[in-house]
Amino acid sequence: MKRYFLFSIILCCIVALSSCSILQFANLKNCNFAMAGIQNVTWAGINFSNINSPRDLSVTDMAKAMEAIKNLDFKITCDVKVNVENPTNRIARLIGYDYELYLDNKTKPIVTGSSRDKEYLIPANTISVIPIPVKMDLVSMIKHQEIGSIINCIRNIQDKGNGTSSDIKVRFTPYLSMGNNPTRLSPITLTKTFQSSPKETSKAKKQSSTASPNKR
């Protein structure tokens, strides 16, 4: 009898924890998203937070830049910040995302990517920041393969991303989980204004309805 009672308590705890996790995932559909800006722009191992011209480069940084140009390495990395607003009284959980980055209202993205290896918890009644690590190649964007031109291009991307009305847009597709498989929400185009929360696609709804309980 005691064993049965103990088993019942354990089973109830498992069900309660599972239900709580499902609610956290489902609550992501109630969140709103916006682009917050760009930070941590790096090229050739140089952080460009406080660099506006070649004169701001140290001797070591200048050597790194010259070596990168010699090797035709024009790849930069940066973090595109996404604000996630959770207006509800429950935690929301994001398990991954896809993204496409657009510049100057162009129809073709300059870079695309995804993440499935990290979960984000968005506390109730808060705005949380999710940094999207982005890698892009400037080779098609710079006019001259010289340090000044590259710095101007990098500053241009930072300014466009951090301006009041950004000319950089992010097509952001969040993922939640209602079972063993990720569930894709409808993609939204992020601007500096909070966008309405995304909804499940018809495909995602079908996946969600047939998925087994989450074992994460």
Side-chain angles (χ1 to χ4, degrees):
M1 187 69 178
K2 290 182 178 180
R3 289 183 178 178
Y4 177 77
F5 180 70
L6 180 60
F7 176 77
S8 298
I9 293 178
I10 294 174
L11 182 61
C12 289
C13 290
I14 292 174
V15 171
L17 289 173
S18 178
S19 299
C20 181
S21 180
I22 290 173
L23 287 174
Q24 289 177 1
F25 286 127
N27 196 37
L28 185 68
K29 291 187 291 184
N30 297 318
C31 292
N32 300 309
F33 298 80
M35 180 179 166
I38 294 177
Q39 64 180 9
N40 300 327
V41 181
T42 302
W43 170 62
I46 307 167
N47 190 299
F48 281 79
S49 298
N50 298 308
I51 295 177
N52 298 297
S53 72
R55 291 176 298 179
D56 298 325
L57 294 172
S58 66
V59 174
T60 302
D61 289 342
M62 182 66 75
K64 291 179 180 178
M66 295 301 294
E67 182 68 17
I69 293 175
K70 178 182 176 182
N71 295 327
L72 301 179
D73 178 8
F74 304 107
K75 298 179 181 66
I76 72 167
T77 62
C78 62
D79 291 331
V80 177
K81 298 182 294 180
V82 175
N83 281 342
V84 185
E85 178 188 38
N86 181 3
T88 74
N89 293 321
R90 293 198 310 266
I91 292 175
R93 181 176 293 185
L94 173 74
I95 65 167
Y97 55 80
D98 298 332
Y99 72 86
E100 297 176 341
L101 191 67
Y102 296 84
L103 179 63
D104 294 332
N105 295 317
K106 288 183 170 57
T107 57
K108 184 178 180 180
I110 59 175
V111 64
T112 63
S114 63
S115 173
R116 299 287 187 279
D117 57 358
K118 187 175 181 179
E119 289 188 356
Y120 296 91
L121 293 179
I122 300 93
N125 297 302
T126 63
I127 296 175
S128 299
V129 178
I130 296 177
I132 300 177
V134 172
K135 296 180 180 180
M136 65 181 84
D137 198 332
L138 300 182
V139 66
S140 63
M141 301 172 62
I142 56 176
K143 296 180 179 179
H144 308 286
Q145 294 180 0
E146 57 186 30
I147 294 177
S149 177
I150 296 169
I151 291 177
N152 288 337
C153 185
I154 291 174
R155 294 302 306 179
N156 183 49
I157 290 174
Q158 289 187 123
D159 292 342
K160 288 180 181 296
N162 295 322
T164 303
S165 179
S166 178
D167 288 324
I168 289 181
K169 302 292 187 296
V170 178
R171 187 173 170 84
F172 186 73
T173 305
Y175 281 76
L176 54 80
S177 177
M178 299 294 286
N180 289 329
N181 299 317
T183 298
R184 180 178 181 267
L185 298 183
S186 298
I188 50 176
T189 300
L190 304 185
T191 63
K192 290 297 183 110
T193 303
F194 275 110
Q195 307 297 303
S196 300
S197 56
K199 304 300 179 183
E200 290 176 279
T201 61
S202 57
K203 181 179 179 181
K205 288 180 181 179
K206 183 177 180 181
Q207 291 176 340
S208 176
S209 63
T210 58
S212 58
N214 192 356
K215 296 182 180 179
R216 291 176 67 91

